[in-house]
Amino acid sequence: MVQVLNRGSSRVQRRSEARRTEILRAASRVFRRRGLAAAGMREIAEEADVSPGILYYYFSGKDEILLFCQERTLEHMLAAIEAARAVPASSAERLRGVLQAHVHAMLDELEGATAHLEVEALPEALRAPVMEKRDRYERAVRALVADGIKRGEFAKADAALVTRAMLGAVNWSARWFRPDGPQTSAAVAQSLSDYLVKGLLK
Amino acid sequence: MVQVLNRGSSRVQRRSEARRTEILRAASRVFRRRGLAAAGMREIAEEADVSPGILYYYFSGKDEILLFCQERTLEHMLAAIEAARAVPASSAERLRGVLQAHVHAMLDELEGATAHLEVEALPEALRAPVMEKRDRYERAVRALVADGIKRGEFAKADAALVTRAMLGAVNWSARWFRPDGPQTSAAVAQSLSDYLVKGLLK
DNA sequence: CTACAATTTGAACCATGGTTCAAGTTTTGA
DNA sequence: TCAAAACTTGAACCATGGTTCAAATTGTAG
C-alpha cells in the first residue's frame, strides 16, 4: 500500500519520513546527473541503496517523485523571496539576495535540484500545483524588479522580459557548473547576481 | 539501404536532399513542441506526412536526426559570429548582433531549433562533433566579451561567467516565448540583447 | 515498353524501463 | 514471546517507442 504523506512525530513516522526524503535526494542527484528523461527508477533505487520495488511503497510512481522534487525546490526558492521581502534594503540588494539563493538552490548538493526546469515532463494532471508555484515565484521576482524601477532605483525596462532573462541565466548555471571546478557555487552566485542586477541600474 | 549525404545536383539528388531537410524541419517542430525525449518517431513521421519507416531510409535513426538538427542550428549561429566579426563596429554592437541572431535561431519558425540545448541526449559516440561546435561558439562569444573589456569599452568582469549568463538568458527564451504572444521574436531579441549588454558597460 | 533502381509503406519485432506482486524480513505493541 | 503490521525484495509483467523488413509503388534509363 502506498504511504500517505505524514508529518507526525512518532518514531516510525519520523523514520518513514526520513526514508522518503532520502529517496528524493537520491532522485535529485540522478536527475541532475543524467537528466530527467534518462533517469531510470532502477538507477534511482541504486543511488538510494534500496530495491526498485520500494520506490512504489513510498511513492505512487516516478511522476510523484518528480513532483515532490520540483515542489521542494520551488518552496525553497519561495522562502528566499519571503526572506528578501522581510529585510529592509534597496531593491538591488534584495534582488541580488534572491538570485543568489536561486543559484544555491540550483547548484548545492544538499538541496540542489534541477528538476523544476522541466515541468513538461509531468503528466497534465500533476502539472497544475507546480506551475502555480513557479508562476508565483516568477511574479514575485518581477515585482521586485518593477518595484526598483518605480522607485527610480533601476532604469526603465520591460520588467517581465528582464525577469525571464535573469531566471534563464541563473537556471542555466546548472548546465555548466562543476562542483570540482575552479569556483565555488557561492562565488558563482555572487558574480552572476552582480552582473544581472548591474544591467538594471541607471 | 541508408542514404549517404549528397549535395550533388542531379534531379533525384535534389529531390532527395529536399526530402531530408523536410524531415529535419518536421523533427525540429516536434522537438520544440514536445521536448526532445517526448518526441516519438511516429509523431515526427506524421508531422512530416510520411510513414515511420521512411525515416530510416533517410537517416540511420533518431540519434542522427537529432545530430543533424543540432549541427544545423549551431552552424547557423557560428555564421552569425563570423558576420559580426566582419563588420567594423564597437564590441557592444557586435555582441548585440550576435545575441539577436541567437534569439532568432531559437525562436523563428524557419530555422528555429532548440535541440542543441540537450547535447546529453546524444549517445557518447555522436556527441563529439556537436560539443566541438558548441564550445567553439561559446569561445567566440567569450572572445567578443573579453575583447570589449580589453578595449576598455566594458567594465572589468569574469568573461567566461558573463558569457554563460548571456547564453543562458538567451537559450531560456525558447521556454517562455509564444509566437502568438504580445511581442515578436525581433522585439524580444532587441530588448534581451540590450539588457544583457548593458550589464557589461562601464 | 520493360527491367532495374529508388522510394515508400505499415505491420511486426524487440529492448528499454516503469510498474506490480507474492513472498520474505524486520519492527512494533501487548 | 508472539502475532500483526510495517517494510523490503527481486523477479516478472507489460506498455511504450525505436527499429527492421518484406512487399508494394514510383521513377528512371535503355
Side-chain angles (χ1 to χ4, degrees), chain A residues 34 37 116-120 155 158 161-162 164-172 175-176 183 187-188 191-192 195-202, chain B residues 34 37 116-120 155 158 161-162 164-172 175-176 183 187-188 191-192 195-202:
Chain A
R34 297 263 188 252
H116 75 102
L117 302 183
E118 297 176 52
V119 199
E120 306 75 30
D158 180 339
L161 183 132
V162 171
R164 283 163 167 166
M166 289 175 157
L167 296 183
V170 169
N171 286 331
W172 195 250
R175 292 287 185 98
W176 53 264
Q183 48 196 349
V188 169
S191 317
L192 213 44
Y195 162 66
L196 292 172
V197 170
K198 184 156 176 291
L200 272 173
L201 298 175
K202 277 191 160 168
Chain B
R34 297 264 188 251
H116 75 102
L117 302 184
E118 296 176 51
V119 198
E120 306 75 30
D158 180 339
L161 184 131
V162 170
R164 284 163 168 166
M166 288 175 157
L167 296 183
V170 169
N171 285 332
W172 196 251
R175 293 288 186 95
W176 54 263
Q183 49 196 351
V188 169
S191 317
L192 213 43
Y195 162 67
L196 292 172
V197 170
K198 183 155 176 289
L200 271 173
L201 298 175
K202 276 189 163 172

Coordinates of all heavy atoms in Angstrom, one line a residue, chain A residues 34 37 116-120 155 158 161-162 164-172 175-176 183 187-188 191-192 195-202, chain B residues 34 37 116-120 155 158 161-162 164-172 175-176 183 187-188 191-192 195-202:
Chain A
R34 N 21.9 12.6 -14.9 CA 21.5 12.0 -16.2 C 20.5 12.8 -17.0 O 20.3 12.6 -18.1 CB 20.9 10.6 -15.9 CG 21.9 9.6 -15.3 CD 22.5 8.8 -16.3 NE 23.2 7.7 -15.7 CZ 24.6 7.6 -15.7 NH1 25.3 8.6 -16.3 NH2 25.2 6.6 -15.2
A37 N 14.8 12.6 -18.3 CA 14.3 11.5 -19.1 C 15.1 10.3 -18.9 O 14.6 9.1 -18.8 CB 14.2 11.9 -20.5
H116 N 12.8 21.1 -11.5 CA 11.8 22.0 -11.7 C 11.9 22.8 -13.1 O 11.0 23.5 -13.5 CB 11.7 23.1 -10.6 CG 12.7 24.1 -10.7 ND1 12.5 25.4 -11.2 CD2 14.0 24.0 -10.4 CE1 13.7 26.0 -11.1 NE2 14.6 25.3 -10.6
L117 N 13.0 22.5 -13.7 CA 13.2 23.2 -15.0 C 12.4 22.5 -16.1 O 12.3 23.0 -17.2 CB 14.7 23.2 -15.4 CG 15.6 23.8 -14.4 CD1 17.1 23.9 -14.9 CD2 15.2 25.3 -14.1
E118 N 11.9 21.3 -15.8 CA 11.2 20.6 -16.9 C 9.8 20.2 -16.4 O 9.5 19.0 -16.3 CB 12.0 19.4 -17.3 CG 13.3 19.7 -17.9 CD 14.2 18.5 -18.2 OE1 13.7 17.6 -18.9 OE2 15.3 18.5 -17.8
V119 N 9.0 21.2 -16.3 CA 7.6 21.0 -15.9 C 6.8 20.1 -16.9 O 5.9 19.4 -16.5 CB 6.8 22.3 -15.7 CG1 5.6 22.1 -14.9 CG2 7.7 23.4 -15.1
E120 N 7.3 20.2 -18.1 CA 6.5 19.5 -19.2 C 6.6 18.0 -19.0 O 5.9 17.2 -19.5 CB 7.1 19.8 -20.5 CG 7.1 21.3 -20.9 CD 8.2 22.0 -20.1 OE1 9.2 21.4 -19.9 OE2 8.0 23.2 -19.7
A155 N 16.8 51.6 -14.0 CA 16.3 52.3 -15.3 C 15.0 51.7 -15.8 O 14.7 50.6 -15.4 CB 17.4 52.1 -16.3
D158 N 11.5 46.6 -19.5 CA 10.4 45.6 -19.6 C 10.7 44.6 -18.4 O 11.4 43.7 -18.6 CB 10.4 44.9 -20.9 CG 9.3 43.9 -21.1 OD1 8.8 43.4 -20.0 OD2 9.0 43.6 -22.2
L161 N 10.3 40.8 -19.2 CA 11.4 40.3 -20.0 C 12.7 40.2 -19.3 O 13.4 39.1 -19.3 CB 11.6 41.1 -21.3 CG 12.6 40.6 -22.2 CD1 12.1 40.5 -23.6 CD2 13.9 41.3 -22.1
V162 N 13.0 41.2 -18.5 CA 14.3 41.2 -17.7 C 14.2 40.1 -16.7 O 15.2 39.4 -16.5 CB 14.5 42.5 -17.1 CG1 15.7 42.4 -16.1 CG2 14.8 43.6 -18.1
R164 N 12.7 37.3 -16.9 CA 12.9 36.0 -17.6 C 14.4 35.8 -18.0 O 14.9 34.7 -17.9 CB 12.0 35.9 -18.8 CG 10.6 35.6 -18.4 CD 9.6 35.9 -19.5 NE 8.3 35.3 -19.2 CZ 7.2 35.6 -19.8 NH1 7.2 36.5 -20.8 NH2 6.0 35.1 -19.5
A165 N 15.0 36.9 -18.4 CA 16.4 36.8 -18.7 C 17.2 36.4 -17.5 O 18.1 35.5 -17.6 CB 16.9 38.2 -19.3
M166 N 16.9 37.0 -16.4 CA 17.6 36.7 -15.2 C 17.4 35.2 -14.8 O 18.4 34.5 -14.5 CB 17.1 37.6 -14.0 CG 17.5 39.0 -14.1 SD 16.7 40.0 -12.8 CE 17.9 41.4 -12.7
L167 N 16.2 34.8 -14.8 CA 15.9 33.4 -14.4 C 16.6 32.5 -15.3 O 17.1 31.4 -14.9 CB 14.4 33.2 -14.3 CG 13.7 34.0 -13.3 CD1 12.2 33.7 -13.2 CD2 14.3 33.8 -11.9
G168 N 16.6 32.8 -16.6 CA 17.3 31.9 -17.6 C 18.7 31.8 -17.3 O 19.3 30.7 -17.3
A169 N 19.4 32.9 -17.0 CA 20.8 32.9 -16.8 C 21.1 32.1 -15.5 O 22.1 31.3 -15.5 CB 21.3 34.4 -16.6
V170 N 20.3 32.3 -14.5 CA 20.5 31.6 -13.3 C 20.2 30.1 -13.4 O 21.0 29.2 -13.0 CB 19.6 32.2 -12.2 CG1 19.6 31.3 -11.0 CG2 20.1 33.6 -11.8
N171 N 19.1 29.7 -14.1 CA 18.8 28.3 -14.3 C 19.9 27.6 -15.1 O 20.2 26.4 -14.9 CB 17.5 28.2 -15.0 CG 16.3 28.5 -14.0 OD1 16.4 28.3 -12.8 ND2 15.2 28.9 -14.6
W172 N 20.4 28.3 -16.0 CA 21.4 27.7 -16.9 C 22.7 27.3 -16.2 O 23.4 26.4 -16.6 CB 21.8 28.8 -18.0 CG 22.5 28.2 -19.2 CD1 23.8 28.4 -19.5 CD2 22.0 27.3 -20.2 NE1 24.1 27.8 -20.7 CE2 23.0 27.1 -21.1 CE3 20.7 26.7 -20.4 CZ2 22.8 26.2 -22.2 CZ3 20.5 25.9 -21.5 CH2 21.6 25.7 -22.4
R175 N 23.7 23.8 -15.9 CA 24.3 23.1 -17.0 C 25.8 23.1 -17.1 O 26.4 22.1 -17.5 CB 23.7 23.7 -18.3 CG 22.3 23.6 -18.5 CD 21.9 22.2 -18.9 NE 20.5 22.1 -19.3 CZ 20.1 22.1 -20.5 NH1 20.9 22.2 -21.5 NH2 18.8 22.0 -20.7
W176 N 26.4 24.2 -16.6 CA 27.8 24.2 -16.8 C 28.6 24.2 -15.5 O 29.8 23.9 -15.6 CB 28.2 25.5 -17.6 CG 27.6 26.8 -17.0 CD1 26.5 27.4 -17.3 CD2 28.2 27.5 -15.9 NE1 26.3 28.6 -16.6 CE2 27.4 28.6 -15.7 CE3 29.4 27.4 -15.1 CZ2 27.6 29.6 -14.7 CZ3 29.6 28.4 -14.2 CH2 28.8 29.4 -13.9
Q183 N 35.7 27.5 -9.3 CA 35.0 28.4 -8.4 C 33.9 27.7 -7.6 O 33.3 26.8 -8.1 CB 34.5 29.6 -9.1 CG 33.7 29.3 -10.4 CD 33.6 30.5 -11.3 OE1 33.9 31.7 -10.9 NE2 33.1 30.4 -12.5
A187 N 30.7 31.8 -5.1 CA 31.4 32.7 -6.0 C 30.5 33.0 -7.3 O 30.4 34.1 -7.7 CB 32.8 32.2 -6.4
V188 N 30.0 31.9 -7.8 CA 29.2 32.0 -9.0 C 27.9 32.8 -8.6 O 27.5 33.7 -9.4 CB 28.7 30.6 -9.5 CG1 27.7 30.7 -10.5 CG2 29.9 29.8 -10.0
S191 N 29.0 36.6 -8.5 CA 29.3 37.3 -9.8 C 28.0 37.3 -10.6 O 27.8 38.4 -11.3 CB 30.3 36.5 -10.5 OG 31.4 36.1 -9.7
L192 N 27.3 36.3 -10.7 CA 26.1 36.2 -11.5 C 25.1 37.3 -11.1 O 24.6 38.0 -11.9 CB 25.5 34.8 -11.4 CG 24.8 34.2 -12.7 CD1 25.6 34.4 -13.9 CD2 24.6 32.7 -12.4
Y195 N 26.3 40.8 -11.9 CA 26.2 41.2 -13.4 C 24.7 41.4 -13.7 O 24.4 42.4 -14.4 CB 26.7 40.1 -14.2 CG 26.3 40.1 -15.7 CD1 26.6 41.1 -16.5 CD2 25.5 39.1 -16.2 CE1 26.2 41.2 -17.8 CE2 25.0 39.1 -17.5 CZ 25.3 40.1 -18.3 OH 24.9 40.2 -19.6
L196 N 23.8 40.5 -13.3 CA 22.4 40.6 -13.7 C 21.7 41.9 -13.2 O 20.9 42.5 -13.8 CB 21.7 39.4 -13.3 CG 22.1 38.1 -14.0 CD1 21.4 36.8 -13.4 CD2 21.7 38.2 -15.5
V197 N 22.1 42.3 -12.0 CA 21.5 43.5 -11.4 C 22.1 44.7 -12.0 O 21.4 45.7 -12.2 CB 21.6 43.5 -9.8 CG1 21.2 44.8 -9.3 CG2 20.8 42.4 -9.2
K198 N 23.4 44.6 -12.4 CA 24.0 45.8 -12.9 C 23.3 46.2 -14.2 O 23.2 47.4 -14.5 CB 25.5 45.4 -13.2 CG 26.3 46.6 -13.8 CD 27.8 46.3 -13.5 CE 28.7 47.4 -14.1 NZ 28.7 47.4 -15.6
G199 N 22.8 45.3 -15.0 CA 22.1 45.6 -16.2 C 20.8 46.4 -16.0 O 20.3 46.9 -16.9
L200 N 20.4 46.5 -14.7 CA 19.2 47.2 -14.4 C 19.4 48.6 -13.9 O 18.6 49.4 -14.1 CB 18.4 46.4 -13.3 CG 17.4 45.3 -13.8 CD1 16.9 44.5 -12.6 CD2 16.3 45.9 -14.6
L201 N 20.6 48.8 -13.3 CA 20.8 50.1 -12.7 C 20.9 51.2 -13.7 O 21.1 50.9 -14.9 CB 22.2 50.0 -12.0 CG 22.2 49.0 -10.8 CD1 23.6 48.9 -10.2 CD2 21.2 49.3 -9.7
K202 N 20.7 52.4 -13.2 CA 20.6 53.5 -14.1 C 22.0 53.8 -14.7 O 23.0 53.6 -14.1 CB 20.1 54.7 -13.4 CG 18.6 54.7 -13.3 CD 18.0 56.0 -12.8 CE 16.6 56.2 -13.2 NZ 16.0 57.4 -12.5
Chain B
R34 N 7.2 19.2 -28.2 CA 7.1 18.2 -27.1 C 8.3 18.0 -26.2 O 8.2 17.4 -25.2 CB 6.8 16.8 -27.8 CG 5.6 16.7 -28.6 CD 4.5 16.1 -27.8 NE 3.3 15.8 -28.6 CZ 2.2 16.5 -28.5 NH1 2.1 17.5 -27.6 NH2 1.2 16.2 -29.3
A37 N 12.8 14.3 -25.4 CA 12.6 12.9 -25.0 C 11.2 12.5 -25.5 O 11.0 11.3 -25.9 CB 12.7 12.8 -23.5
H116 N 19.7 21.7 -29.8 CA 21.1 21.8 -29.3 C 21.3 22.1 -27.9 O 22.4 22.1 -27.3 CB 21.8 22.9 -30.1 CG 21.5 24.3 -29.7 ND1 22.4 25.0 -28.9 CD2 20.4 25.0 -29.9 CE1 21.8 26.2 -28.7 NE2 20.6 26.2 -29.3
L117 N 20.1 22.4 -27.2 CA 20.2 22.6 -25.8 C 20.4 21.3 -25.0 O 20.7 21.4 -23.8 CB 19.0 23.3 -25.3 CG 18.7 24.7 -26.0 CD1 17.4 25.3 -25.4 CD2 19.9 25.6 -25.9
E118 N 20.2 20.2 -25.6 CA 20.3 19.0 -24.9 C 21.3 18.0 -25.5 O 20.9 17.0 -26.1 CB 18.9 18.3 -24.8 CG 18.0 19.2 -23.9 CD 16.6 18.6 -23.9 OE1 16.4 17.5 -23.5 OE2 15.6 19.4 -24.2
V119 N 22.5 18.4 -25.4 CA 23.6 17.5 -26.0 C 23.6 16.2 -25.4 O 24.0 15.2 -26.0 CB 25.0 18.2 -25.9 CG1 26.0 17.6 -26.8 CG2 24.9 19.7 -26.1
E120 N 23.2 16.1 -24.1 CA 23.3 14.9 -23.4 C 22.4 13.8 -24.0 O 22.6 12.6 -23.7 CB 23.0 15.1 -21.9 CG 23.7 16.2 -21.2 CD 23.3 17.6 -21.6 OE1 22.1 17.7 -21.9 OE2 24.1 18.5 -21.7
A155 N 33.2 47.2 -18.6 CA 33.8 47.1 -17.3 C 34.5 45.8 -17.0 O 34.2 44.8 -17.7 CB 32.7 47.3 -16.2
D158 N 34.3 38.8 -15.2 CA 34.6 37.4 -15.5 C 34.0 37.1 -16.8 O 32.8 36.8 -16.9 CB 34.1 36.5 -14.4 CG 34.5 35.1 -14.6 OD1 34.7 34.7 -15.8 OD2 34.5 34.3 -13.7
L161 N 32.1 33.7 -17.2 CA 30.8 33.7 -16.4 C 29.8 34.5 -17.1 O 28.6 34.1 -17.3 CB 31.0 34.1 -15.0 CG 29.8 34.0 -14.1 CD1 30.1 33.2 -12.9 CD2 29.2 35.3 -13.9
V162 N 30.1 35.7 -17.5 CA 29.2 36.6 -18.1 C 28.7 36.0 -19.4 O 27.5 36.0 -19.7 CB 29.8 38.0 -18.4 CG1 28.8 38.8 -19.2 CG2 30.0 38.7 -17.0
R164 N 28.4 32.9 -20.1 CA 27.4 31.8 -19.8 C 26.1 32.4 -19.4 O 25.0 31.8 -19.7 CB 28.0 30.9 -18.8 CG 29.0 30.0 -19.4 CD 29.9 29.4 -18.3 NE 30.7 28.3 -18.9 CZ 31.8 27.7 -18.2 NH1 32.1 28.2 -17.1 NH2 32.4 26.7 -18.8
A165 N 26.1 33.4 -18.6 CA 24.9 34.1 -18.2 C 24.1 34.5 -19.4 O 22.9 34.3 -19.5 CB 25.2 35.3 -17.3
M166 N 24.8 35.2 -20.3 CA 24.1 35.7 -21.5 C 23.5 34.5 -22.3 O 22.3 34.6 -22.7 CB 25.1 36.4 -22.4 CG 25.6 37.7 -21.9 SD 26.9 38.4 -23.0 CE 26.7 40.1 -22.6
L167 N 24.3 33.5 -22.5 CA 23.8 32.4 -23.3 C 22.6 31.7 -22.6 O 21.6 31.3 -23.3 CB 24.9 31.4 -23.6 CG 26.0 31.9 -24.4 CD1 27.1 30.8 -24.7 CD2 25.5 32.4 -25.7
G168 N 22.7 31.6 -21.3 CA 21.6 31.0 -20.5 C 20.3 31.9 -20.7 O 19.2 31.3 -21.0
A169 N 20.4 33.2 -20.6 CA 19.3 34.0 -20.7 C 18.6 33.9 -22.1 O 17.4 33.8 -22.3 CB 19.7 35.5 -20.5
V170 N 19.5 33.8 -23.1 CA 19.0 33.7 -24.5 C 18.4 32.3 -24.8 O 17.3 32.3 -25.4 CB 20.2 34.0 -25.4 CG1 19.8 33.6 -26.9 CG2 20.6 35.5 -25.4
N171 N 19.1 31.3 -24.4 CA 18.5 30.0 -24.6 C 17.2 29.8 -23.9 O 16.3 29.1 -24.4 CB 19.5 28.9 -24.1 CG 20.7 28.7 -25.0 OD1 20.6 29.0 -26.2 ND2 21.8 28.4 -24.4
W172 N 17.1 30.4 -22.7 CA 15.9 30.2 -22.0 C 14.6 30.8 -22.7 O 13.5 30.4 -22.4 CB 16.0 30.9 -20.6 CG 15.0 30.6 -19.6 CD1 14.0 31.4 -19.1 CD2 14.9 29.3 -18.9 NE1 13.3 30.7 -18.2 CE2 13.8 29.4 -18.0 CE3 15.6 28.1 -19.0 CZ2 13.4 28.4 -17.2 CZ3 15.2 27.1 -18.1 CH2 14.1 27.2 -17.3
R175 N 11.8 28.7 -23.9 CA 10.9 28.1 -22.9 C 9.6 28.9 -22.8 O 8.6 28.4 -22.5 CB 11.6 28.0 -21.5 CG 12.7 27.0 -21.5 CD 12.1 25.6 -21.6 NE 13.2 24.6 -21.4 CZ 13.5 24.1 -20.2 NH1 12.8 24.4 -19.1 NH2 14.5 23.3 -20.1
W176 N 9.8 30.2 -22.8 CA 8.6 31.1 -22.5 C 8.0 31.8 -23.7 O 6.9 32.2 -23.6 CB 9.0 32.1 -21.4 CG 10.2 32.9 -21.7 CD1 11.4 32.7 -21.2 CD2 10.2 34.1 -22.4 NE1 12.3 33.7 -21.7 CE2 11.5 34.6 -22.4 CE3 9.2 34.9 -23.1 CZ2 11.9 35.8 -23.0 CZ3 9.6 36.0 -23.7 CH2 11.0 36.5 -23.7
Q183 N 4.6 40.1 -28.1 CA 5.7 40.6 -28.8 C 6.3 39.7 -29.8 O 6.3 38.5 -29.7 CB 6.8 41.1 -27.8 CG 7.1 40.1 -26.7 CD 7.8 40.7 -25.5 OE1 8.2 41.9 -25.6 NE2 8.0 40.0 -24.5
A187 N 11.4 41.8 -31.4 CA 11.3 42.7 -30.2 C 12.0 42.1 -29.0 O 12.8 42.7 -28.3 CB 9.9 43.0 -29.9
V188 N 11.8 40.8 -28.9 CA 12.5 40.1 -27.8 C 14.0 40.1 -28.0 O 14.7 40.4 -27.0 CB 12.0 38.6 -27.7 CG1 12.9 37.8 -26.7 CG2 10.5 38.5 -27.3
S191 N 15.2 43.7 -27.0 CA 15.3 44.0 -25.6 C 16.3 43.2 -24.8 O 17.0 43.7 -23.9 CB 13.9 43.8 -25.0 OG 12.9 44.3 -25.8
L192 N 16.3 41.9 -25.1 CA 17.1 41.0 -24.4 C 18.6 41.3 -24.6 O 19.4 41.4 -23.7 CB 16.9 39.6 -25.0 CG 17.0 38.4 -24.0 CD1 16.4 38.7 -22.7 CD2 16.3 37.1 -24.6
Y195 N 19.5 44.6 -22.7 CA 19.7 44.4 -21.3 C 21.0 43.7 -21.0 O 21.8 44.1 -20.1 CB 18.5 43.6 -20.7 CG 18.8 43.0 -19.4 CD1 19.0 43.8 -18.3 CD2 18.9 41.6 -19.3 CE1 19.3 43.2 -17.0 CE2 19.1 41.0 -18.0 CZ 19.4 41.8 -16.9 OH 19.6 41.2 -15.7
L196 N 21.3 42.6 -21.7 CA 22.4 41.8 -21.4 C 23.7 42.6 -21.7 O 24.7 42.4 -20.9 CB 22.4 40.5 -22.3 CG 21.3 39.5 -21.9 CD1 21.2 38.4 -22.9 CD2 21.5 39.0 -20.5
V197 N 23.8 43.4 -22.7 CA 25.0 44.1 -23.0 C 25.1 45.3 -22.0 O 26.2 45.6 -21.6 CB 25.0 44.6 -24.4 CG1 26.1 45.6 -24.6 CG2 25.1 43.5 -25.4
K198 N 24.0 45.8 -21.6 CA 24.1 46.9 -20.6 C 24.8 46.6 -19.3 O 25.5 47.4 -18.7 CB 22.6 47.4 -20.3 CG 22.5 48.6 -19.4 CD 21.2 49.3 -19.6 CE 21.1 50.5 -18.7 NZ 20.8 50.0 -17.3
G199 N 24.6 45.3 -18.9 CA 25.3 44.9 -17.7 C 26.8 44.8 -17.8 O 27.5 44.7 -16.8
L200 N 27.3 45.0 -19.0 CA 28.7 44.9 -19.2 C 29.3 46.3 -19.3 O 30.5 46.5 -19.0 CB 29.0 44.2 -20.6 CG 29.2 42.7 -20.5 CD1 29.3 42.1 -21.9 CD2 30.4 42.3 -19.6
L201 N 28.5 47.3 -19.7 CA 29.1 48.6 -20.0 C 29.6 49.2 -18.7 O 29.2 48.8 -17.6 CB 28.0 49.5 -20.6 CG 27.5 49.0 -21.9 CD1 26.3 49.9 -22.4 CD2 28.6 49.1 -23.0
K202 N 30.5 50.2 -18.8 CA 31.1 50.8 -17.7 C 30.1 51.7 -16.9 O 29.2 52.2 -17.5 CB 32.3 51.7 -18.1 CG 33.5 50.8 -18.2 CD 34.7 51.7 -18.5 CE 36.0 50.9 -18.2 NZ 37.2 51.6 -18.6

